[in-house]
mmCIF file of all heavy atoms in Angstrom:
data_model
loop_
_atom_site.group_PDB
_atom_site.id
_atom_site.type_symbol
_atom_site.label_atom_id
_atom_site.label_comp_id
_atom_site.label_asym_id
_atom_site.label_seq_id
_atom_site.Cartn_x
_atom_site.Cartn_y
_atom_site.Cartn_z
ATOM 1 N N LYS O 42 -15.850 24.488 2.267
ATOM 2 C CA LYS O 42 -15.385 23.569 3.318
ATOM 3 C C LYS O 42 -14.655 24.350 4.405
ATOM 4 O O LYS O 42 -14.385 25.535 4.269
ATOM 5 C CB LYS O 42 -14.459 22.505 2.722
ATOM 6 C CG LYS O 42 -15.085 21.683 1.620
ATOM 7 C CD LYS O 42 -16.245 20.862 2.124
ATOM 8 C CE LYS O 42 -16.780 19.951 1.031
ATOM 9 N NZ LYS O 42 -17.958 19.164 1.514
ATOM 10 N N SER O 43 -14.314 23.659 5.469
ATOM 11 C CA SER O 43 -13.596 24.302 6.565
ATOM 12 C C SER O 43 -12.083 24.188 6.343
ATOM 13 O O SER O 43 -11.632 23.366 5.557
ATOM 14 C CB SER O 43 -13.992 23.651 7.899
ATOM 15 O OG SER O 43 -13.624 22.290 7.901
ATOM 16 N N PRO O 44 -11.296 25.016 7.038
ATOM 17 C CA PRO O 44 -9.837 24.964 6.862
ATOM 18 C C PRO O 44 -9.252 23.643 7.351
ATOM 19 O O PRO O 44 -9.683 23.096 8.369
ATOM 20 C CB PRO O 44 -9.348 26.137 7.723
ATOM 21 C CG PRO O 44 -10.527 27.039 7.848
ATOM 22 C CD PRO O 44 -11.715 26.143 7.878
ATOM 23 N N GLU O 45 -8.237 23.181 6.628
ATOM 24 C CA GLU O 45 -7.539 21.935 6.949
ATOM 25 C C GLU O 45 -6.069 22.262 7.180
ATOM 26 O O GLU O 45 -5.418 22.866 6.317
ATOM 27 C CB GLU O 45 -7.690 20.960 5.777
ATOM 28 C CG GLU O 45 -6.884 19.687 5.883
ATOM 29 C CD GLU O 45 -6.885 18.916 4.582
ATOM 30 O OE1 GLU O 45 -7.382 19.448 3.566
ATOM 31 O OE2 GLU O 45 -6.368 17.793 4.570
ATOM 32 N N LEU O 46 -5.541 21.879 8.321
ATOM 33 C CA LEU O 46 -4.144 22.183 8.651
ATOM 34 C C LEU O 46 -3.193 21.402 7.744
ATOM 35 O O LEU O 46 -3.299 20.193 7.604
ATOM 36 C CB LEU O 46 -3.871 21.834 10.118
ATOM 37 C CG LEU O 46 -2.456 22.100 10.619
ATOM 38 C CD1 LEU O 46 -2.172 23.601 10.638
ATOM 39 C CD2 LEU O 46 -2.265 21.507 12.021
ATOM 40 N N ILE O 47 -2.259 22.147 7.116
ATOM 41 C CA ILE O 47 -1.250 21.520 6.277
ATOM 42 C C ILE O 47 0.091 21.468 6.990
ATOM 43 O O ILE O 47 0.749 20.438 7.031
ATOM 44 C CB ILE O 47 -1.070 22.298 4.957
ATOM 45 C CG1 ILE O 47 -2.349 22.348 4.156
ATOM 46 C CG2 ILE O 47 0.039 21.678 4.119
ATOM 47 C CD1 ILE O 47 -2.209 23.225 2.921
ATOM 48 N N MET O 48 0.511 22.610 7.509
ATOM 49 C CA MET O 48 1.848 22.708 8.083
ATOM 50 C C MET O 48 1.831 23.646 9.274
ATOM 51 O O MET O 48 1.077 24.608 9.308
ATOM 52 C CB MET O 48 2.834 23.291 7.056
ATOM 53 C CG MET O 48 3.083 22.458 5.839
ATOM 54 S SD MET O 48 4.260 21.151 6.132
ATOM 55 C CE MET O 48 5.775 22.075 6.326
ATOM 56 N N SER O 49 2.707 23.361 10.212
ATOM 57 C CA SER O 49 2.998 24.306 11.278
ATOM 58 C C SER O 49 4.506 24.504 11.320
ATOM 59 O O SER O 49 5.261 23.591 11.005
ATOM 60 C CB SER O 49 2.493 23.790 12.623
ATOM 61 O OG SER O 49 3.119 22.549 12.938
ATOM 62 N N ILE O 50 4.937 25.710 11.699
ATOM 63 C CA ILE O 50 6.369 25.980 11.801
ATOM 64 C C ILE O 50 6.582 26.955 12.936
ATOM 65 O O ILE O 50 5.792 27.899 13.115
ATOM 66 C CB ILE O 50 6.946 26.491 10.452
ATOM 67 C CG1 ILE O 50 8.465 26.638 10.523
ATOM 68 C CG2 ILE O 50 6.279 27.782 10.000
ATOM 69 C CD1 ILE O 50 9.122 26.806 9.140
ATOM 70 N N TYR O 51 7.625 26.725 13.720
ATOM 71 C CA TYR O 51 7.816 27.503 14.932
ATOM 72 C C TYR O 51 9.179 28.194 14.994
ATOM 73 O O TYR O 51 9.370 29.115 15.786
ATOM 74 C CB TYR O 51 7.672 26.602 16.164
ATOM 75 C CG TYR O 51 6.325 25.904 16.253
ATOM 76 C CD1 TYR O 51 6.160 24.613 15.780
ATOM 77 C CD2 TYR O 51 5.220 26.552 16.793
ATOM 78 C CE1 TYR O 51 4.932 23.981 15.842
ATOM 79 C CE2 TYR O 51 3.994 25.918 16.867
ATOM 80 C CZ TYR O 51 3.853 24.636 16.385
ATOM 81 O OH TYR O 51 2.638 24.002 16.455
ATOM 82 N N SER O 52 10.139 27.725 14.191
ATOM 83 C CA SER O 52 11.470 28.317 14.246
ATOM 84 C C SER O 52 11.946 28.675 12.839
ATOM 85 O O SER O 52 11.434 28.145 11.843
ATOM 86 C CB SER O 52 12.458 27.358 14.909
ATOM 87 O OG SER O 52 12.452 26.122 14.264
ATOM 88 N N ASN O 53 12.889 29.589 12.778
ATOM 89 C CA ASN O 53 13.409 30.038 11.495
ATOM 90 C C ASN O 53 13.946 28.876 10.661
ATOM 91 O O ASN O 53 14.510 27.924 11.192
ATOM 92 C CB ASN O 53 14.538 31.052 11.698
ATOM 93 C CG ASN O 53 14.025 32.435 12.020
ATOM 94 O OD1 ASN O 53 12.954 32.833 11.572
ATOM 95 N ND2 ASN O 53 14.786 33.169 12.822
#
Side-chain angles (χ1 to χ4, degrees):
Chain O
K42 302 296 185 182
S43 62
E45 173 191 8
L46 180 67
I47 300 175
M48 295 279 290
S49 60
I50 186 166
Y51 302 96
S52 55
N53 281 329

